[in-house]
């Protein structure tokens, strides 16, 4: 496997794209380009730990199934200035990652029409904003290319902040010692942004038919990001006509990533049903990559 880290912006060391590539054997003259997936870890836009449970391990589980996988370390408060972290900076980071992969597609054996994105928590918010706004002009205008090159094949949003209005109300009445009181300041410029600002940066408010097929996963007992956001996002996708899947697990809390125990991942007795999202997501992706895999069995009762 080829593991390499690239700086995405000239003059900055904080935004990086790390590759997890399975390269074809030299005796294969015409290797088949592979689907790709970009992983965006969580961290409340304060941190973006590539080496945590939502970064490298996720990329490698997809790489093991034949995907060309990437981990994006996007702009966060503990690594750069507020000037660099204010929304929509992270959308531009993801757009730059998408362009970089397309530019290296031949060398990296990537099928440019089959690049998906997956995010966790804040990373899911980023992927949700990207997936719902890729066509609005921000990316095309910033990079000077056609907007179609930014469209992801699909988006996988795991226990994400998808409605900042709901999240703001929950955070105000449920203080979490792990999160700073001013965590909204680096990205939205205020401790308690206005409803207009909250809606502006809520993926649920940007859903249109341009949104790619979307996979949603969350745990009902999530104590940090209310899982009702995933339910409401699924409803919005359903009413808009966007293909989607929603998987709500009874247990898992927040940050379950691959569904293993965080401190003793080798303990199978600590695994919950939420671990099943991985195989469900891979089936979902297969249906987007290979349309023929969605062909239904002939049902004699409907003839």
């Amino acid at each position: 496997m080829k593991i390499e880290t690239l700086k995405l912006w000239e003059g900055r060391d904080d935004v990086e794209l790390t590759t997890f590539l399975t390269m074809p054997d030299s005796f294969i003259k015409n290797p088949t380009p592979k689907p790709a997936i970009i992983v965006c870890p969580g961290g409340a836009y304060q941190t973006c730990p590539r080496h945590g449970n939502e970064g490298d391990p996720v990329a490698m589980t997809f790489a093991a199934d034949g995907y060309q996988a990437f981990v994006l370390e996007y702009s966060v408060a503990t690594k750069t200035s507020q000037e660099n972290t204010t929304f929509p900076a992270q959308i531009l980071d993801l757009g730059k990652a998408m362009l970089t992969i397309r530019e290296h597609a031949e060398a990296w054996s990537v099928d440019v029409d089959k690049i998906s994105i997956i995010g966790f928590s804040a990373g899911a918010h980023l992927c949700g904003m990207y997936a719902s706004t890729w066509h609005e002009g921000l990316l095309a205008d910033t990079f000077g290319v056609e907007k179609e090159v930014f469209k992801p094949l699909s988006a996988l949003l795991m226990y994400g902040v998808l409605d900042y209005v709901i999240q703001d109300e929950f955070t105000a009445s449920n203080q979490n010692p792990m999160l700073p009181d001013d965590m909204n300041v680096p990205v939205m410029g205020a401790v308690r942004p206005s409803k207009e600002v909250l809606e502006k940066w809520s993926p649920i408010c940007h859903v249109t038919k341009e949104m790619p097929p979307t996979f949603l996963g969350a745990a009902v007992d999530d104590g940090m990001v209310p899982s009702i956001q995933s339910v409401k996002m699924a409803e919005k996708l359903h009413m808009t006509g966007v293909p989607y899947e929603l998987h709500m697990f009874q247990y898992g809390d927040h940050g379950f990533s691959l569904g293993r125990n965080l401190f003793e991942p080798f303990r199978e007795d600590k695994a919950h049903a939420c671990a099943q999202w991985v195989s469900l997501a891979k089936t979902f992706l297969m249906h987007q990559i290979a349309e023929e895999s969605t062909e239904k069995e002939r049902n004699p009762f409907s003839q």
Side-chain angles (χ1 to χ4, degrees), residues 12-32:
R12 289 181 61 181
D13 294 329
D14 58 306
V15 179
E16 298 179 335
L17 185 70
T18 300
T19 71
F20 294 82
L21 307 174
T22 301
M23 305 309 294
D25 292 323
S26 57
F27 63 83
I28 300 177
K29 293 183 178 180
N30 297 302
T32 302

Side-chain angles (χ1 to χ4, degrees), residues 236-262:
K236 185 67 175 289
L237 294 168
H238 186 87
M239 298 305 294
T240 308
V242 176
Y244 73 96
E245 284 188 14
L246 169 66
H247 299 279
M248 295 293 291
F249 301 99
Q250 186 176 5
Y251 304 112
D253 208 319
H254 192 75
F256 58 76
S257 185
L258 295 176
R260 306 190 191 107
N261 183 42
L262 298 184

Side-chain angles (χ1 to χ4, degrees), residues 77-157:
T78 56
K79 286 191 173 183
T80 188
S81 65
Q82 184 175 336
E83 179 183 1
N84 290 334
T85 58
T86 303
F87 292 152
Q90 297 80 4
I91 298 175
L92 298 180
D93 292 339
L94 186 47
K96 181 69 170 177
M98 185 74 75
L99 283 180
T100 300
I101 294 170
R102 292 180 70 94
E103 288 168 2
H104 293 80
E106 184 174 356
W108 290 348
S109 191
V110 169
D111 186 334
V112 296
D113 294 321
K114 298 175 181 176
I115 304 175
S116 296
I117 55 178
I118 180 171
F120 300 83
S121 193
H125 170 263
L126 167 55
C127 288
M129 283 300 303
Y130 183 95
S132 60
T133 64
W134 64 268
H135 62 286
E136 290 184 357
L138 170 67
L139 294 166
D141 293 344
T142 299
F143 295 104
V145 296
E146 295 294 324
K147 63 182 181 181
E148 284 74 21
V149 304
F150 296 104
K151 184 177 183 179
L153 176 71
S154 56
L156 290 78
L157 312 178

